Amino acid sequence: EALGNRVDLVVDGGKAELAEPSTVVRALPPLLQVLREGTLTREELERTACYGVILVCSGNTCRSPMAEMTARWLAARSRGLSLEESPRTGLRFLSAGVSALPGLPASEGALRALGEWGLDLSGHRSRPLSPYLLMEADLVLCMTRTHLSRVRALARGLERLPATELLDPGGGEILDPFAGDLDLYKKVRDKIRAALEARMEALLERPWAEISK
């Protein structure tokens, strides 16, 4: 009916097995826009279509959770979006630890350090880095060279290897503030932010470079 007289023949294929419409997306720089959520949910789309960046430290309770939340915040702010809308930038940030136990909350120092910027880490729960997570990633950013080595060892044998680099594009390491005072956490927080700000414009271009391929 919508097509009117512009169609000469309609073939009825019967009732669709899924009985759900397709998901419709507009992918034009600088933002992804889901026009209609259908068979693929918004969350599934963001997980598969976005450029995946994993921030890695040791236990996933201090540095990498701060980096994950800060990255989302910086990416969203650069495009005039809310924190919740950050996947519309085409970037998906996760964090994990090479020696993490699952399900632990963010450390008190990390909570307080990011809380000064109005960012809430209370919902964070730690996750170990796994080959499955690496298979979903396009880029892995590590705090130290030890983490780099651990990630590359874990990635051996995978058909698809993500790029793996230090978070600091200048090659510096960001050391663990665990058990330190709030001032130490704030210094680490600021180093993480500076490293992410140095990378952010290049990161924001990555999804569209992938789409153009």
Side-chain angles (χ1 to χ4, degrees):
E1 291 178 359
L3 293 171
N5 61 3
R6 288 174 289 176
V7 173
D8 297 309
L9 177 66
V10 175
V11 178
D12 187 348
K15 185 177 180 180
E17 292 183 10
L18 295 175
E20 291 184 47
S22 58
T23 301
V24 181
V25 180
R26 176 182 287 131
L28 294 174
L31 298 175
L32 287 172
Q33 183 180 4
V34 179
L35 302 180
R36 183 179 72 195
E37 190 171 333
T39 305
L40 285 175
T41 67
R42 186 183 301 271
E43 182 181 350
E44 289 170 329
L45 183 73
E46 290 170 356
R47 187 173 67 248
T48 56
C50 288
Y51 187 86
V53 182
I54 300 182
L55 290 306
V56 171
C57 69
S58 299
N60 194 218
T61 59
C62 299
R63 288 168 289 179
S64 57
M66 288 197 291
E68 175 188 355
M69 182 64 77
T70 303
R72 290 179 180 175
W73 176 55
L74 292 174
R77 194 176 68 164
S78 71
R79 296 294 187 247
L81 301 172
S82 68
L83 184 62
E84 293 72 23
E85 294 177 304
S86 65
R88 289 187 60 198
T89 62
L91 294 170
R92 178 173 179 257
F93 295 100
L94 295 174
S95 64
V98 295
S99 54
L101 295 173
L104 298 178
S107 66
E108 182 65 23
L111 285 164
R112 292 175 63 190
L114 281 201
E116 292 189 353
W117 294 344
L119 300 176
D120 183 11
L121 275 179
S122 62
H124 173 79
R125 293 297 178 268
S126 60
R127 66 166 65 87
L129 187 66
S130 67
Y132 175 77
L133 282 177
L134 291 176
M135 287 172 63
E136 287 197 334
D138 297 290
L139 175 65
V140 181
L141 296 175
C142 300
M143 301 296 157
T144 69
R145 290 177 179 82
T146 299
H147 300 136
L148 271 177
S149 298
R150 295 281 298 275
V151 170
R152 287 169 177 164
L154 192 60
R156 288 191 192 119
L158 296 181
E159 292 183 7
R160 179 178 176 274
L161 299 178
T164 305
E165 304 170 11
L166 287 173
L167 172 60
D168 182 355
E173 296 190 312
I174 300 176
L175 302 180
D176 196 349
F178 185 73
D181 60 17
L182 181 58
D183 284 341
L184 179 58
Y185 271 88
K186 289 163 65 173
K187 288 177 183 177
V188 170
R189 174 202 66 186
D190 293 344
K191 285 183 179 180
I192 288 170
R193 178 173 179 173
L196 286 167
E197 286 179 332
R199 285 184 171 274
M200 191 52 63
E201 280 306 313
L203 283 175
L204 288 165
E205 294 297 322
R206 294 283 184 93
W208 314 108
E210 293 296 315
I211 287 172
S212 69
K213 290 180 181 178

